[in-house]
Amino acid sequence: MVSLAQCLGDIPGDSSKTESVMAFIVFEGLDGSGKSTLIQKLHTLLESSGEDVVLTREPGGTPLAEDIRHLLLRTKGEAPVPTAELLLYEAARAQHVESRIRPSLEQNKWVLCDRFYGSTLAFQCGGRSIDRSLVDQLNCIATGGMKPDLWVLLDLSLEESLRRRNSRDARGEKPLDRFEKEANDFHVKVRDYYLKLANEDIENWLVLNAEASPEQLFNELQQRMRARGWLKL
Ligand code: TMP
């Protein structure tokens, strides 16, 4: 485990990376922003080029972290207070990074992850107004300082997110989870915080307008990946 001082210092995020071309890419956004479709498209492309790809998600990605996910998202039973919620996300992340993400990167696999600590910053700092430096410290502890190579933000207006969520709900595809039941104001704060994070680090955040077609979104993602030398064609 890295010390907190190391973690918060100027150490490179992922010391396990080698020269081979692979990357750790995280997809973020409001619910209904189309992350899964984009992840699937990239997965198919990479696999068809013979790449080894791990698809994973947060909270979750390992059996224990999936159990924690259930506790976090269920709508029945006792809801966690904001501090407990934060610590549960971080516990799930520590398990996920150490037992799944880091070993996969060490084996030179691509890792495509649906949400990572960007969600904690957006939902817990932005949505719940928890102190940023506290969350940064916990993220450091949980990840051992590991950072993704690219964050992809699927930016969506609250109105469109609500429309997509309600139509999914009406079709009975997915019942609303604890976060989807939050007030509109919460989701506006989450979106604003995502945009703030992306503005703070434009080199490592790709912001896509999630109202564009899946093909257009995928093209923009591929362009950025080519610019990084991750895709040959
Ligand atoms: P999803 O995987 O279906 O998007 O649901 C995960 C929910 O958990 C989503 O509403 C975002 C929220 N979340 C946080 O609040 N903090 C976090 O650190 C993570 C990873 C997710």
Side-chain angles (χ1 to χ4, degrees), residues 31 58-59 69 73 89 93 115 119-120 123-124 179:
D31 297 299
E58 286 209 349
R69 176 187 178 89
L73 300 185
Y89 277 114
R93 177 160 305 129
R115 302 194 181 281
S119 285
T120 323
F123 284 77
Q124 278 65 51
F179 284 87

Side-chain angles (χ1 to χ4, degrees), residues 65-108:
E66 290 289 333
D67 286 345
I68 298 175
R69 176 187 178 89
H70 173 70
L71 293 176
L72 280 161
L73 300 185
R74 66 182 185 180
T75 50
K76 299 211 168 69
E78 184 186 11
V81 297
T83 310
E85 177 184 281
L86 171 64
L87 294 172
L88 284 168
Y89 277 114
E90 299 295 354
R93 177 160 305 129
Q95 186 72 18
H96 186 211
V97 168
E98 198 158 328
S99 66
R100 184 120 192 256
I101 298 181
R102 195 181 297 282
S104 303
L105 294 173
E106 282 169 359
Q107 292 162 25
N108 290 325

Side-chain angles (χ1 to χ4, degrees), residues 4 9 15 35-36 46 81 92 96 103 108 123-124 139 169 226:
L4 188 56
S15 54
K35 290 181 278 104
S36 315
L46 292 172
V81 297
H96 186 211
N108 290 325
F123 284 77
Q124 278 65 51
N139 279 331
D169 192 38
R226 276 191 208 101

